[in-house]
Amino acid sequence: VIKIKDLTKVYNGSQVPVHAVNGISLEIKQGEFAAVVGPSGSGKTTFLNMLGGLDDPTSGSIEIDNQLLSNLTSSQRIKFRLENIGFIFQAYNLIPVLTAKENVEFIMELQKVSKAERNKRSLELLEAVGIPDKANVRPNQLSGGQQQRVAVARALASKPKFILADEPTANLDSKSTETLLDIMERLNKEENITFIFSTHDARVVNKAHRIITIEDGLIKSDESRI
Amino acid sequence: VIKIKDLTKVYNGSQVPVHAVNGISLEIKQGEFAAVVGPSGSGKTTFLNMLGGLDDPTSGSIEIDNQLLSNLTSSQRIKFRLENIGFIFQAYNLIPVLTAKENVEFIMELQKVSKAERNKRSLELLEAVGIPDKANVRPNQLSGGQQQRVAVARALASKPKFILADEPTANLDSKSTETLLDIMERLNKEENITFIFSTHDARVVNKAHRIITIEDGLIKSDESRI
Ligand SMILES: Nc1ncnc2c1ncn2[C@@H]1O[C@H](COP(=O)(O)OP(=O)(O)OP(=O)(O)O)[C@@H](O)[C@H]1O
Ligand SMILES: Nc1ncnc2c1ncn2[C@@H]1O[C@H](COP(=O)(O)OP(=O)(O)OP(=O)(O)O)[C@@H](O)[C@H]1O
Ligand SMILES: [Mg+2]
Ligand SMILES: [Mg+2]
């Protein structure tokens, strides 16, 4: 379970301080399928980055399975992320010199998954997201939506406990979106992986079991269905 | 008017040749508001890049207002683009070292628009797309949707004859999308600017007067309403 208390993030750039996240408290249990929605600039990416340990809060705490993230040293945090969290970035962040297949296998390699198993899982996932023919192609030769699907496959391949997905369907057509959501729903049911999406996509929101609405860095509403 | 005849683009990368655009012929008149839709990987970006003179066809021709793009030298093409075409990139392509306002003014500066006029237009547009407070902020301090809006403002600011928009609402919430579409519709009506969108967004498709569907680099259907 993820416990978030009084979480804030203030950016002190060159301008007026920006209260990107302004005091969020909530609990997310294992196996949840939740969507974080809100206007552009409302704090979704900042919130997800802190949850994933990619960014430090200004104040407040995040506890994942009784582990307070702030108690981890920097190398312990990297290990913790590698073992528990899969991240799909809003800007994909694929490694340009690696092919699609190598990008998908990258994290599994760090996790010391066997070569045979890495090969099997990456090919299965590239097939599942509809781009098996792009396995040996580099990101700059892929369309926007193809790059997005490689980023998704990469996060799913390592079968982490939690998957944080920042607008994973932004550049996808309806059919690809539906395919992606089916894969994620299945992983959620069969492996009890927790999914937390940030999204503007109505089709993703419709599949979510819980909808957390953020505005100006604060939770405006938090509704569960089913 | 834009006349496209037997347009193809074949990528001969390291793999099997990819027929990204496989023979497209069509005509787009001044003042049209058209959406190009189709699955991820179907050729929309490749098609728009060729229309905008950013990429060379493998075969076929593009004629814009009686100017055959292939007859232009490389520097003539840059000049032609600067004077006629505004482009909103799928990956935004903002200049990292410039602020939002500087990014928006950049093209106007190349067009020798006066300093006073550049200032007025950039501030008006940043206001219109909802991020006036981010004028002096660099792209890496903006959210995904805020970067997208800067990219939109930049293309609109130079008031070109044709605007090619590659998935301009992918990272935007409903309200920002609606605002953007209103601005574009108004420019289309008042200034007779031609808009050609590539999009997966149903809200954009609903506003389009013409819907061109692409699949595997070919036109599958081309329907006008009104
Ligand atoms: N530089 C390149 N080298 C090789 N293949 C390429 C290159 N650029 C694009 N492609 C391929 O051409 C096809 C069409 O790509 P394009 O980017 O035009 O698709 P798209 O319709 O814009 O997709 P999306 O909706 O995902 O943005 C894809 O299969 C893509 O992998
Ligand atoms: N490094 C930074 N420095 C300063 N301000 C920042 C930085 N990163 C983000 N911001 C600001 O924090 C606020 C929240 O940004 P965030 O990226 O979390 O929004 P978002 O909800 O993900 O938006 P979108 O839907 O457009 O992706 C925005 O106003 C943004 O400009
Ligand atoms: Mg974001
Ligand atoms: Mg594209």
Side-chain angles (χ1 to χ4, degrees):
Chain A
V1 75
I2 302 175
K3 292 186 182 157
I4 300 154
K5 275 185 89 212
D6 303 321
L7 196 67
T8 75
K9 179 71 183 182
V10 184
Y11 289 112
N12 283 310
S14 45
Q15 304 282 318
V16 176
V18 179
H19 294 259
V21 172
N22 209 5
I24 287 182
S25 298
L26 57 90
E27 213 172 271
I28 300 172
K29 301 194 169 52
Q30 190 65 39
E32 288 212 41
F33 202 80
V36 176
V37 301
S40 166
S42 56
K44 304 180 296 300
T45 292
T46 304
F47 176 61
L48 248 61
N49 284 348
M50 289 192 283
L51 268 194
L54 297 163
D55 200 3
D56 290 319
T58 302
S59 66
S61 64
I62 298 171
E63 194 183 283
I64 300 182
D65 286 353
N66 297 319
Q67 175 63 60
L68 219 49
L69 292 192
S70 46
N71 282 350
L72 296 169
T73 65
S74 151
S75 52
Q76 285 174 332
R77 193 186 298 202
I78 290 174
K79 186 167 184 291
F80 184 84
R81 279 215 317 270
L82 193 63
E83 294 176 1
N84 293 289
I85 301 170
F87 210 106
I88 303 169
F89 297 90
Q90 188 165 4
Y92 322 146
N93 294 357
L94 298 178
I95 300 172
V97 298
L98 300 183
T99 63
K101 184 168 181 285
E102 289 166 345
N103 262 287
V104 173
E105 296 187 359
F106 185 65
I107 294 176
M108 291 191 276
E109 212 166 330
L110 296 174
Q111 292 171 328
K112 314 254 191 297
V113 174
S114 78
K115 195 170 197 295
E117 181 66 12
R118 291 200 309 265
N119 192 53
K120 173 172 177 286
R121 271 197 233 167
S122 62
L123 289 175
E124 271 178 7
L125 274 159
L126 287 170
E127 174 100 28
V129 298
I131 45 172
D133 54 325
K134 302 294 182 185
N136 302 323
V137 179
R138 296 215 170 95
N140 66 353
Q141 295 187 354
L142 297 177
S143 78
Q146 289 167 342
Q147 291 177 27
Q148 187 149 41
R149 286 181 272 167
V150 174
V152 171
R154 175 175 65 176
L156 270 45
S158 56
K159 290 203 180 165
K161 224 174 159 200
F162 307 91
I163 291 181
L164 308 178
D166 201 345
E167 305 204 26
T169 62
N171 282 284
L172 298 180
D173 53 280
S174 294
K175 185 154 178 294
S176 302
T177 298
E178 205 176 328
T179 303
L180 220 87
L181 289 172
D182 285 347
I183 298 169
M184 292 179 169
E185 265 191 322
R186 188 163 43 82
L187 278 173
N188 175 246
K189 286 206 184 83
E190 294 176 4
E191 315 260 352
N192 210 32
I193 295 177
T194 303
F195 278 87
I196 304 168
F197 300 87
S198 134
T199 186
H200 292 300
D201 192 339
R203 301 167 294 203
V204 178
V205 177
N206 283 340
K207 289 269 179 173
H209 307 164
R210 176 182 181 183
I211 302 170
I212 301 161
T213 305
I214 288 184
E215 202 165 298
D216 297 322
L218 291 164
I219 296 201
K220 193 157 172 260
S221 68
D222 187 350
E223 303 182 22
S224 293
R225 10 184 181 166
I226 316 181
Chain B
V1 76
I2 302 176
K3 291 186 183 158
I4 301 154
K5 274 185 88 211
D6 303 322
L7 196 67
T8 75
K9 179 71 183 182
V10 183
Y11 289 112
N12 282 310
S14 45
Q15 303 284 317
V16 177
V18 179
H19 294 259
V21 172
N22 210 5
I24 287 183
S25 298
L26 57 89
E27 215 172 87
I28 300 172
K29 299 192 170 57
Q30 189 64 38
E32 287 212 41
F33 202 79
V36 175
V37 301
S40 167
S42 55
K44 305 180 296 298
T45 292
T46 305
F47 174 62
L48 248 62
N49 285 348
M50 289 194 281
L51 268 195
L54 298 163
D55 200 3
D56 291 318
T58 302
S59 66
S61 64
I62 298 171
E63 196 183 281
I64 301 182
D65 286 354
N66 297 320
Q67 175 62 59
L68 219 49
L69 292 193
S70 47
N71 281 351
L72 297 169
T73 66
S74 149
S75 51
Q76 285 174 334
R77 193 185 299 201
I78 291 174
K79 185 165 184 295
F80 183 83
R81 278 214 317 272
L82 194 64
E83 292 175 2
N84 292 290
I85 300 171
F87 210 106
I88 302 168
F89 295 91
Q90 189 165 3
Y92 322 146
N93 295 356
L94 298 179
I95 300 172
V97 298
L98 300 183
T99 63
K101 183 168 180 285
E102 289 165 346
N103 262 287
V104 174
E105 294 187 1
F106 186 66
I107 294 175
M108 290 191 275
E109 213 166 330
L110 296 174
Q111 293 171 329
K112 312 257 190 299
V113 174
S114 79
K115 195 170 196 297
E117 181 66 12
R118 291 201 309 265
N119 192 53
K120 173 173 178 286
R121 271 197 232 167
S122 63
L123 289 174
E124 272 177 7
L125 273 159
L126 287 171
E127 174 101 27
V129 298
I131 45 172
D133 54 326
K134 300 293 181 185
N136 302 323
V137 179
R138 294 212 172 98
N140 66 353
Q141 296 187 352
L142 297 177
S143 80
Q146 289 166 343
Q147 292 177 26
Q148 188 149 40
R149 286 181 270 167
V150 174
V152 171
R154 175 176 63 177
L156 270 45
S158 55
K159 290 207 181 161
K161 223 174 162 203
F162 306 91
I163 291 180
L164 308 178
D166 201 346
E167 306 203 26
T169 62
N171 281 286
L172 299 180
D173 52 279
S174 295
K175 186 155 176 296
S176 302
T177 298
E178 206 176 325
T179 303
L180 221 88
L181 288 172
D182 286 347
I183 298 168
M184 292 177 171
E185 265 191 320
R186 187 162 43 81
L187 279 172
N188 175 246
K189 286 207 185 83
E190 294 175 5
E191 314 259 354
N192 210 32
I193 295 177
T194 303
F195 277 87
I196 304 170
F197 300 87
S198 132
T199 186
H200 291 301
D201 192 338
R203 301 166 296 202
V204 177
V205 176
N206 284 339
K207 289 271 180 171
H209 307 165
R210 176 181 181 183
I211 302 170
I212 301 161
T213 306
I214 287 185
E215 202 166 298
D216 297 321
L218 291 163
I219 296 201
K220 193 155 172 263
S221 67
D222 186 350
E223 302 181 22
S224 293
R225 10 185 182 167
I226 317 178

